[in-house]
Amino acid sequence: MNIELELKNETPHFAKPMLADSPYKVLNLYACLGGNRVLWTDCKVTAIENDAEIARLYQERFPNDTVIVGDAHQYLLDHYKEFDFIWSSPPCPTHSRARYWGFGINGKNPVYPDFKLYEEIILLQHHFKGKFCVENVIAYYEPLIPAQKRGRHLYWCNFILPNILTNRDNSGALNQKSVMKDLINFHNYDFNKYEGTQRILKIARNLVDYEAGKTIFATAMGIFEKSNLKQISMFDEVT
Ligand SMILES: C[S@@+](CC[C@H](N)C(=O)[O-])C[C@H]1O[C@@H](n2cnc3c(N)ncnc32)[C@H](O)[C@@H]1O
């Protein structure tokens, strides 16, 4: 198994030149079971997840990824320069309308919205040279940094997303009676394998639709490919 149990304190270095024939280095923060990552190809993925049992299952699902059990927020700060594309899915409950409206087990107790979400967006917007996508639910307040709204999610990216990210319909997962079965079908993953301490339904609801994950990833890769082509044609002109 490829799970590193402690964060490595490596000296950060700048991302490699983005060449078409070398796989892109991708950081998948708050990786969960990699719903977003299912259809990513031609890349080398490092995934960060702090629940060791989820990390074990992620590694089983994506054996070629490097999986690190640790704090995604700190990992981003220490390592962002090493990647071409960064995806971050910070936990959403403190921003969610469901919690604000009083649903769920913590519904009646207000908490501060977790501003690590905005810390990461600001860091990436101002310091990161590659492409990024930070994903969260639609908040109960006006987002402090403008986002692109698609379906039931907000995305903060340094590129424009297509208007439609997915044509898959997960409305079945709203049916209380069959919700678990529907989520298993929708994500094509048996969440009952999980043997940790989090609620299985909560985990199953966390996953991004793999088709949306693919569209966003392909959009970022398309921008890289275009800029590589430009660089190659400029090089051809001067030689
Ligand atoms: C919203 S889910 C991410 C869903 C994921 N993008 C997907 O599509 O499958 C958030 C995940 O972050 C994990 N997590 C929460 N806090 C974390 C932290 N500080 N560092 C790393 N992982 C964390 C949770 O255990 C959960 O699996």
Side-chain angles (χ1 to χ4, degrees), residues 30-36 49-50 54 70-72 89 91 198 206-208:
Y30 308 90
C32 196
L33 288 159
N36 55 326
E49 168 56 54
N50 72 353
I54 296 183
D71 179 21
S89 289
Q198 297 197 54
N206 273 340
L207 269 68
V208 169

Side-chain angles (χ1 to χ4, degrees), residues 160-181:
I160 307 288
L161 293 174
N163 287 337
I164 296 176
L165 300 180
T166 178
N167 289 312
R168 301 178 73 227
D169 175 21
N170 73 342
S171 54
L174 301 173
N175 179 339
Q176 289 307 316
K177 278 194 189 142
S178 61
V179 60
M180 198 62 215
K181 197 169 128 263

